[in-house]
C-alpha cells in the first residue's frame, strides 16, 4: 500500500513540475511571434512561409520527401538533410508534434521556417546530447514531394 502511494505521489510531483519551454525559449517565441509574416497556431506553433506550395497536402500517414535543417535558438545546427545531400522520407505521424501540425497544412513544394515550443518538440527530456530539455527549436522544412500511399 505504502509503495503504491509513494509511486502515485512521485507521479503527481513529476506531472506538476513539468517545466515546458525554458525561459530563453519563451522570450524567443514571444519576440518571433511579433515579426511580420509569422503565424501563430492555437497549439503555440509558429511558422513563416518562405515559399508557398502548389501541390498536394499529405494525409497523416502519407509519406513525403522533405529537406530540413534543425537548430537551437542560438543558431547551433543539430541536424540537416541538406548537409547530408539527401532528403528524408517520412509521414506526418512519424515526427515531432510541431512538424506533424505544420506538415498537415503545407502543400507540396512549400518551404516553411518553424519555431517550435518544447512541448511540441522533445519536451523536458530533450534529444541526445545536442537538444537540451525545454529547448524551443527552429526548423527549415521543405516539402519536396507528397508520395502516393501504398
Amino acid at each position: 500500500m505504502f509503495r503504491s502511494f509513494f509511486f502515485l505521489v512521485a507521479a503527481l510531483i513529476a506531472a506538476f513540475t513539468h517545466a515546458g519551454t525554458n525561459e530563453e525559449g519563451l522570450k524567443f517565441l514571444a519576440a518571433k511571434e511579433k515579426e511580420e509574416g509569422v503565424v501563430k497556431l492555437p497549439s503555440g506553433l509558429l511558422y513563416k512561409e518562405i515559399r508557398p506550395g502548389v501541390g498536394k497536402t499529405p494525409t497523416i500517414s502519407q509519406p513525403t520527401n522533405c529537406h530540413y535543417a534543425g537548430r537551437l535558438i542560438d543558431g547551433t545546427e543539430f541536424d540537416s538533410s541538406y548537409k547530408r545531400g539527401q532528403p528524408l522520407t517520412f509521414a506526418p505521424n512519424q515526427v515531432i508534434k510541431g512538424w506533424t501540425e505544420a506538415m498537415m497544412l503545407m502543400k507540396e513544394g512549400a518551404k516553411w521556417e518553424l519555431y517550435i515550443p518544447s512541448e511540441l518538440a522533445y519536451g523536458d527530456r530533450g534529444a541526445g546530447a545536442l537538444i537540451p530539455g525545454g529547448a524551443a527549436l527552429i526548423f527549415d522544412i521543405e516539402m519536396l514531394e507528397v508520395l502516393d500511399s501504398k
Side-chain angles (χ1 to χ4, degrees):
M1 174 81 175
F2 176 74
R3 186 175 183 174
S4 298
F5 177 74
F6 173 78
F7 285 116
L8 176 63
V9 170
L12 288 171
I13 289 171
F16 287 108
T17 58
H18 170 76
T21 303
N22 62 33
E23 186 177 339
E24 295 151 334
L26 291 172
K27 288 178 184 176
F28 171 83
L29 294 169
K32 191 57 76 173
E33 180 181 350
K34 296 174 185 171
E35 290 184 12
E36 186 176 337
V38 173
V39 176
K40 182 177 184 179
L41 299 175
S43 67
L45 175 67
L46 303 172
Y47 74 88
K48 184 175 190 176
E49 186 175 61
I50 306 302
R51 182 181 63 238
V54 294
K56 302 178 281 187
T57 296
T59 63
I60 190 77
S61 60
Q62 192 168 16
T64 63
N65 281 334
C66 293
H67 258 312
Y68 69 92
R71 57 193 182 281
L72 303 175
I73 62 172
D74 69 3
T76 302
E77 188 172 84
F78 54 82
D79 194 10
S80 173
S81 67
Y82 293 104
K83 285 192 175 174
R84 288 191 299 275
Q86 179 141 0
L88 286 184
T89 300
F90 47 81
N93 64 355
Q94 296 176 314
V95 291
I96 61 174
K97 290 177 185 177
W99 272 41
T100 299
E101 186 174 7
M103 290 176 73
M104 299 297 298
L105 299 173
M106 294 176 77
K107 292 188 178 297
E108 194 173 59
K111 183 174 184 177
W112 287 11
E113 187 168 65
L114 308 179
Y115 315 103
I116 305 178
S118 107
E119 297 83 8
L120 300 177
Y122 298 101
D124 291 339
R125 73 184 185 283
L130 298 176
I131 303 174
L137 303 176
I138 304 166
F139 282 96
D140 295 312
I141 181 169
E142 186 175 5
M143 187 175 287
L144 302 172
E145 182 180 15
V146 177
L147 304 170
D148 290 331
S149 295
K150 293 181 180 170

